[in-house]
Amino acid sequence: RSATEQFVETLPEPIQAAIKEQRAVEGMDREMVLLALGRPKNKVRESKDGIETEDWIFGEPPGKITFVTFEGSKVVRVKESYAGLGGTVMPPLEPR
């Protein structure tokens, strides 16, 4: 077994499940998010009212975009949205 597998086994069950399902959840740290989602496409740092946050952005349009927001070293918010998927849908084809 790899060091990564051994590390994951030491984590609480909900965190283990999220990593296996490739999703981020509140309470994870940066290493856990990297295990679950890989490297982010983009990072944005912001400071508001003396609180520094960092958003990791996964995915790109068109498709699912996941925003993982850290305060300090912990995830405080996970938001998923779908970008660039608007427009019209073609009606089903008539059977021949």
Side-chain angles (χ1 to χ4, degrees):
R1 292 181 322 168
S2 72
T4 301
E5 289 171 324
Q6 291 176 13
F7 169 70
V8 170
E9 289 174 2
T10 67
L11 301 173
E13 183 55 43
I15 300 290
Q16 286 184 39
I19 290 171
K20 288 175 187 164
E21 294 165 10
Q22 297 183 326
R23 60 186 176 85
V25 293
E26 292 179 11
M28 284 182 156
D29 63 22
R30 284 172 168 77
E31 191 169 334
M32 295 171 194
V33 173
L34 287 170
L35 287 171
L37 299 175
R39 296 206 177 278
K41 295 281 182 195
N42 203 352
K43 294 180 185 181
V44 179
R45 287 189 182 178
E46 196 173 279
S47 184
K48 186 188 272 185
D49 301 326
I51 298 172
E52 289 207 12
T53 60
E54 183 174 70
D55 283 313
W56 286 13
I57 304 166
F58 297 88
E60 53 192 52
K64 182 171 83 168
I65 310 289
T66 303
F67 298 88
V68 180
T69 304
F70 292 89
E71 271 183 29
S73 64
K74 296 289 182 191
V75 174
V76 294
R77 183 173 55 248
V78 177
K79 179 182 170 196
E80 292 185 344
S81 66
Y82 292 84
L85 295 178
T88 60
V89 176
M90 189 171 130
L93 295 173
E94 293 292 323
R96 292 182 172 198

